[in-house]
Amino acid sequence: MSPRALVTRGDGSLAVERREPLVAGPGELVVRPATVGLCGTDLELVDGTVDPAYVRYPLVIGHEWTGVVTSSGDSAFSVGERVVVEGIVPCRRCRHCVAGETNLCDTYSELGFTFDGAAADEVLVRADLAHVVEPQVTNDDAALVEPASVVYHGLSRVVARPGLSCLVVGDGTIGLLAAQLLRLWSPARVVVSGRRPEQAELVRRAGADELVETTPRAAFDLVVEAAGTPASAADALAAACRGGSVLLLGLPPHGSTTAVAVDDLVNGDLLIRASFGYTSSAWASVVALLNAGRLRPGVLVTHRFGFEDQAEALEVLRSAPAGAARGKVVLERS
Ligand SMILES: [Zn+2]
Ligand SMILES: [Zn+2]
């Protein structure tokens, strides 16, 4: 049987299609995905609401994943090795790449966005972007390297010292990952603000101290915006104390705007940092933390679906089941 792939055309549909088997060219690997995480961005890709500059259809979705090498081409990898693969594909030549800012490469290209992703029986990747994960790392942990790298890249640019009081705005997966990763910098406390009390147990599992329903004002050294709405961005800016920092990680719908009191930002002497994707170096750091057993993002997985139950998985992503926690939703290929 030819390999399956979950394909969308950005018109609300996501269907299993049969594809030609993939062949590894020079410098390439063919990988058989095992676990593929889904996120809100996948929904937006399916619905066609992502900024058109960042997507190409028809598209196989799947940018949070891990799998096993099935064809190693001319690379040093062995068939059977389990890998995670950087999704942002840097040219390695432009001024950003040369400076290590591979997330800003002049030629934007990203697996699961501008070329076929990992929600498939096979995926073709560049060998120089693949990293081996140690056997003790679970597939759940490994599949979360992508969003964890997004969070790690952002945090590593704003956390200046230990002992900070931190607020994460948003109780979705990025918020929960932010709460977990903040622990790497020994904060004084980590509070998560979110609308769903059902998330309280997951928030604790992520290592946060408390879940609050209303975002406090002018109270935190570091605020991480991870809800991705214009209103939550305004809340995040208002929650930092004077001299504090605000990291914007959430991505509101394309073109949305919000009003902010600019004088408060200036009077507050705030550092405002927006962060896009991850660099190769952030990705490598997260893999090293995973392999060393210092990070267990897989504890945030709450929903698992078979590969061809994508419709059900999308439904859970679209609206969290009433009365139940929702962390990471994953597809498991069998
Ligand atoms: Zn994602
Ligand atoms: Zn580049």
Side-chain angles (χ1 to χ4, degrees), residues 22-333:
L22 298 171
V23 178
E28 292 177 335
L29 304 174
V30 177
V31 182
R32 185 197 303 128
T35 301
V36 181
L38 296 175
C39 74
T41 310
D42 290 308
L43 264 188
E44 292 170 12
L45 288 166
V46 169
D47 291 343
T49 54
V50 171
D51 183 341
Y54 294 86
V55 59
R56 233 156 274 149
Y57 295 111
L59 176 72
V60 178
I61 63 161
H63 57 274
E64 306 178 2
W65 64 287
T66 183
V68 170
V69 175
T70 54
S71 170
S72 53
D74 59 359
S75 76
F77 286 89
S78 310
V79 168
E81 271 184 309
R82 195 162 51 120
V83 292
V84 289
V85 186
E86 294 170 49
I88 296 176
V89 177
C91 75
R92 308 255 193 236
R93 285 186 302 274
C94 74
R95 72 199 161 99
H96 288 300
C97 283
V98 168
E101 301 161 338
T102 51
N103 59 324
L104 304 179
C105 177
D106 283 349
T107 321
Y108 171 71
S109 173
E110 187 170 3
L111 180 138
F113 291 84
T114 59
F115 68 98
D116 286 346
D121 288 328
E122 293 183 340
V123 58
L124 189 66
V125 299
R126 232 169 66 181
D128 64 309
L129 301 174
H131 303 246
V132 173
V133 286
E134 304 284 346
Q136 75 275 12
V137 177
T138 67
N139 279 340
D140 286 351
D141 287 329
L144 279 155
V145 166
E146 196 272 351
S149 297
V150 171
V151 172
Y152 185 91
H153 176 62
L155 291 181
S156 63
R157 304 160 96 188
V158 290
V159 191
R161 57 189 162 82
L164 299 181
S165 69
C166 302
L167 173 73
V168 176
V169 180
D171 56 14
T173 314
I174 290 289
L176 295 165
L177 283 169
Q180 192 182 61
L181 269 76
L182 273 167
R183 290 280 165 212
L184 295 169
W185 284 270
S186 307
R189 66 182 182 129
V190 177
V191 175
V192 174
S193 92
R195 299 257 158 75
R196 304 186 69 235
E198 297 93 326
Q199 297 292 84
E201 154 61 18
L202 261 186
V203 162
R204 270 191 298 275
R205 214 186 293 170
D209 299 296
E210 196 187 347
L211 174 68
V212 296
E213 276 192 57
T214 18
T215 303
R217 293 181 68 85
F220 293 89
D221 300 316
L222 173 62
V223 182
V224 180
E225 200 301 296
T229 70
S232 59
D235 283 351
L237 290 168
C241 63
R242 295 191 77 201
S245 304
V246 181
L247 171 64
L248 301 175
L249 283 180
L251 191 60
H254 178 44
S256 56
T257 59
T258 188
V260 292
V262 180
D263 62 325
D264 285 349
L265 308 181
V266 176
N267 287 331
D269 194 32
L270 297 188
L271 170 69
I272 301 166
R273 159 60 88 178
S275 187
F276 172 79
Y278 46 82
T279 56
S280 291
S281 121
W283 186 284
S285 299
V286 169
V287 173
L289 287 164
L290 232 63
N291 283 340
R294 290 189 56 205
L295 205 57
R296 298 290 315 279
V299 297
L300 301 175
V301 173
T302 54
H303 291 77
R304 300 167 193 283
F305 294 93
F307 190 75
E308 299 203 3
D309 299 326
Q310 81 278 9
E312 267 177 85
L314 287 185
E315 218 32 66
V316 171
L317 272 181
R318 226 176 261 288
S319 50
R326 183 190 57 188
K328 177 51 69 182
V329 177
V330 299
L331 296 176
E332 293 179 309
R333 212 191 52 82

